[in-house]
Amino acid sequence: MFNRYWAALGTTTALVMLMIVANRIKIAARNEPILPSEVRMYQAYGSLFKMVKGWIWVVAAIVVLLLVMIVVRLEKCYPVAKIKLPAKIGWLVVTVMAFGSSLFWNNQGSAVNAFMTGMGDQAMFYNQLTGARINGPLIQFMNNLDVKVMNQPNGYSKAKMAAIAKRYQKEARRINQTRQNDLAKQNIIFNLSESFSDPRRVPGIKLAYDPMPNIERLKKNNTSGLMISSGYGGGTANMEYMTLTGLALCNFSPTLPTPYTQLVPFQNQAWSINQLFKTSMAIHPYVGVFYSRIAVYQKFGFDRFMYLGSKYSIKHQSQIGRSQYLSDATSYANTLDQLKRGGNGLFVNLVTMQNHFPYDQHYYDGADYYHASAKNGTSTDQVEQFAMGVHYTDQAVAKFIKQIDRLNKPVTVVFYGDHLPGIYQNDMAKDGLKMHETDYFIYSNRAARKQGAKNLTKSTGYVVPNDFIAMAAAQTNSKVTPYLALLTDVWQKLPAAAMDTSQSTTNTYNSTAQFINQQGKVVAKAKLTKKQRQLWHDYQLVQYDLTTGHQYLLKNGMMK
């Protein structure tokens, strides 16, 4: 285009090297390459840069300087013949067609799809890392540009969705016969605790001391169990999406690894639990642009989004040791301020950052207190640092629970870890389920218990994020809408449905649910009863309608 061959080659070389290094860094942290949905995160370049080790920047600066010197020398001493305008136009057309064709690579049966398949392209959506190794990171990146939200379930129609709405209106009336409270008058907090999980549950990991005694006591005396995460080392926003919407990631197409960036901003209407409450807010003591949260929360209808730099300021700000992240104590202090304001009917989505990676920066002193031992090549130093972060979370949670118990208003907290940190070197094929188990508990304060809130006793041992809406309504003895009646049946009558835990990437086998019963055993779909298969099909039809279908259910009373 500019008739500067060596400058063009140098620029291309620099960009390719940048992609190689960036992919290596992400693979080390999350076991998957860079995906198109993450390009939007360029807005958070300041925070992303902090995750890159200092020596990499030094090497990068030296390489760029050398490239510039080499290009200048070559342009001067070895000029290449200029290309005439017709040739420029021809190459431009070829380039646009070659790269633009990626928008049609996933159209099954098309000429473009047949050509790419014949060239040896194996999209491997179910395992992005393997796909990048087979196809190369650039081709795998382009494989993810042609996105399909979800395959249409059999029988989808306006009449079918009307029948489903009537079915769960009836189910809601049945459930509500024994419920006394109004969910909209409760104060509910969904607390996603970054990377929170018990290191001692990972096969091969041992600690000399318990890093979470307070939370263990809370789990023992309240609704609790294990949450099956659909990610390892990352995928926070996916767990957040499931908790807020009640929809399962495993039902989406494998080309939709991140609903927050690929789906929600483009929906006409997007339902979320906060819409059932008088007031709702999201609190995230970090930058707000990751995973398009600003646009997502606006689409969901949150009244406020408090993050660093927002007009709703994060008032309390404190860090622990040398950590770059605000502490969990900070998160709870800001949340408590909001709970003390106004009356009832508040929903808070709290997403913490304290325990975010990296774990090799020695943020905390005294971490060697835990004397970790590990197998499979896992770094004991990183395990100890992570355990110390868990310890600080444990203390902050215990204090927060005492504080909400003093409030004269009903408050229920759903606390859960989103995924394990990506520091363990275990074999996923062998230890996959354990590597996707995080801790959760649901706590109702004294005021809520006076109103009839009680611990749950059914289907609590193993749950998935999309169960929490129904569980919060059940614990607070609150009446349900037809949609919440469906979620209640999915939670109580089906095994927990997650993505294949034998893999590590955040969008592994999206379209193939793995069912896990209350004994922690994988159940084949073929083993489900006829009624269970019907329920699962209803759930898939509802998810399709709400996300990529005609949204009939938003108009026929299913959601209210």
Side-chain angles (χ1 to χ4, degrees), residues 125-243:
F125 298 118
Y126 54 84
N127 193 324
Q128 295 286 348
L129 181 56
T130 300
R133 287 170 173 163
I134 292 174
N135 304 312
L138 178 60
I139 295 296
Q140 187 63 16
F141 181 93
M142 294 168 68
N143 276 326
N144 285 278
L145 289 172
D146 183 11
V147 174
K148 185 176 185 178
V149 175
M150 184 177 172
N151 293 322
Q152 181 174 304
N154 294 331
Y156 178 72
S157 68
K158 184 176 182 179
K160 181 67 174 178
M161 299 318 296
I164 286 178
K166 288 183 179 179
R167 183 180 305 152
Y168 291 99
Q169 286 167 357
K170 181 179 179 181
E171 181 68 1
R173 288 193 294 269
R174 184 191 68 80
I175 293 173
N176 291 339
Q177 288 178 356
T178 59
R179 304 275 183 97
Q180 282 78 45
N181 292 328
D182 183 351
L183 184 64
K185 294 181 180 179
Q186 300 291 315
N187 300 287
I188 305 291
I189 302 170
F190 277 12
N191 175 198
L192 182 156
S193 184
E194 172 62 40
S195 297
F196 189 88
S197 54
D198 189 343
R200 299 169 301 170
R201 201 164 40 245
V202 176
I205 300 296
K206 291 183 180 180
L207 299 178
Y209 301 99
D210 181 359
M212 45 181 280
N214 294 307
I215 289 178
E216 284 198 330
R217 279 192 291 271
L218 284 166
K219 289 187 65 175
K220 183 178 180 180
N221 298 315
N222 297 277
T223 303
S224 66
L226 298 176
M227 188 200 84
I228 307 302
S229 175
S230 289
Y232 170 73
T236 297
N238 290 341
M239 310 316 130
E240 199 179 332
Y241 175 82
M242 288 188 279
T243 61

Side-chain angles (χ1 to χ4, degrees), residues 349-467:
N349 184 51
L350 171 63
V351 181
T352 71
M353 275 297 289
Q354 176 189 285
N355 295 328
H356 199 280
F357 84 92
Y359 307 100
D360 59 358
Q361 301 299 303
H362 295 94
Y363 289 151
Y364 309 127
D365 293 326
D368 57 353
Y369 164 81
Y370 288 103
H371 298 293
S373 61
K375 298 179 180 179
N376 307 310
T378 297
S379 167
T380 56
D381 182 65
Q382 292 192 50
V383 173
E384 289 170 351
Q385 284 288 317
F386 174 71
M388 184 60 81
V390 169
H391 160 73
Y392 286 122
T393 297
D394 185 67
Q395 291 184 321
V397 167
K399 180 179 178 181
F400 182 59
I401 293 298
K402 290 179 180 178
Q403 290 171 323
I404 65 172
D405 255 340
R406 301 189 191 108
L407 297 178
N408 190 28
K409 58 172 60 178
V411 179
T412 294
V413 179
V414 179
F415 173 95
Y416 66 100
D418 54 342
H419 55 74
L420 274 70
I423 59 177
Y424 306 111
Q425 303 301 314
N426 296 57
D427 180 2
M428 283 291 172
K430 179 183 177 183
D431 301 327
L433 182 57
K434 290 293 182 184
M435 302 296 285
H436 288 80
E437 294 176 351
T438 70
D439 297 86
Y440 89 90
F441 69 81
I442 303 178
Y443 180 84
S444 295
N445 71 348
R446 292 174 183 172
R449 295 196 297 272
K450 286 181 181 179
Q451 288 189 358
K454 294 181 180 179
N455 290 342
L456 303 175
T457 59
K458 181 180 180 181
S459 302
T460 61
Y462 286 84
V463 302
V464 282
N466 32 299
D467 290 332

Side-chain angles (χ1 to χ4, degrees), residues 267 357 372 394 400 492 500 529:
Q267 289 183 268
F357 84 92
D394 185 67
F400 182 59
Q492 292 186 342
D500 189 345
T529 66

Side-chain angles (χ1 to χ4, degrees), residues 294-553:
I294 296 174
V296 167
Y297 291 147
Q298 184 176 10
K299 180 70 72 170
F300 280 158
F302 278 87
D303 299 300
R304 294 183 179 184
F305 178 24
M306 299 172 61
Y307 61 92
L308 295 180
S310 71
K311 63 179 180 180
Y312 306 108
S313 62
I314 300 292
K315 179 181 176 182
H316 306 279
Q317 297 189 25
S318 64
Q319 296 157 299
I320 302 173
R322 292 167 293 280
S323 176
Q324 60 177 302
Y325 305 116
L326 294 184
S327 68
D328 282 355
T330 287
S331 298
Y332 295 127
N334 285 282
T335 303
L336 193 64
D337 285 349
Q338 302 307 312
L339 286 170
K340 291 178 178 178
R341 296 176 57 194
N344 294 322
L346 172 66
F347 178 82
V348 178
N349 184 51
L350 171 63
V351 181
T352 71
M353 275 297 289
Q354 176 189 285
N355 295 328
H356 199 280
F357 84 92
Y359 307 100
D360 59 358
Q361 301 299 303
H362 295 94
Y363 289 151
Y364 309 127
D365 293 326
D368 57 353
Y369 164 81
Y370 288 103
H371 298 293
S373 61
K375 298 179 180 179
N376 307 310
T378 297
S379 167
T380 56
D381 182 65
Q382 292 192 50
V383 173
E384 289 170 351
Q385 284 288 317
F386 174 71
M388 184 60 81
V390 169
H391 160 73
Y392 286 122
T393 297
D394 185 67
Q395 291 184 321
V397 167
K399 180 179 178 181
F400 182 59
I401 293 298
K402 290 179 180 178
Q403 290 171 323
I404 65 172
D405 255 340
R406 301 189 191 108
L407 297 178
N408 190 28
K409 58 172 60 178
V411 179
T412 294
V413 179
V414 179
F415 173 95
Y416 66 100
D418 54 342
H419 55 74
L420 274 70
I423 59 177
Y424 306 111
Q425 303 301 314
N426 296 57
D427 180 2
M428 283 291 172
K430 179 183 177 183
D431 301 327
L433 182 57
K434 290 293 182 184
M435 302 296 285
H436 288 80
E437 294 176 351
T438 70
D439 297 86
Y440 89 90
F441 69 81
I442 303 178
Y443 180 84
S444 295
N445 71 348
R446 292 174 183 172
R449 295 196 297 272
K450 286 181 181 179
Q451 288 189 358
K454 294 181 180 179
N455 290 342
L456 303 175
T457 59
K458 181 180 180 181
S459 302
T460 61
Y462 286 84
V463 302
V464 282
N466 32 299
D467 290 332
F468 288 143
I469 294 176
M471 295 178 75
Q475 170 128 347
T476 57
N477 197 26
S478 297
K479 296 181 183 296
V480 297
T481 64
Y483 177 59
L484 267 61
L486 168 65
L487 296 184
T488 301
D489 281 358
V490 170
W491 157 49
Q492 292 186 342
K493 298 178 181 179
L494 286 173
M499 293 194 298
D500 189 345
T501 57
S502 66
Q503 302 290 331
S504 59
T505 52
T506 58
N507 66 327
T508 301
Y509 294 109
N510 288 38
S511 54
T512 304
Q514 182 183 64
F515 293 97
I516 300 163
N517 64 21
Q518 289 302 303
Q519 290 71 48
K521 303 297 182 183
V522 176
V523 178
K525 187 177 181 181
K527 296 293 184 180
L528 298 181
T529 66
K530 183 178 179 180
K531 287 185 177 180
Q532 286 178 317
R533 289 195 295 271
Q534 178 63 56
L535 174 58
W536 182 249
H537 187 61
D538 285 353
Y539 182 51
Q540 289 179 313
L541 283 165
V542 169
Q543 181 159 339
Y544 179 82
D545 182 70
L546 293 176
T547 57
T548 192
H550 296 287
Q551 296 193 320
Y552 297 123
L553 296 178

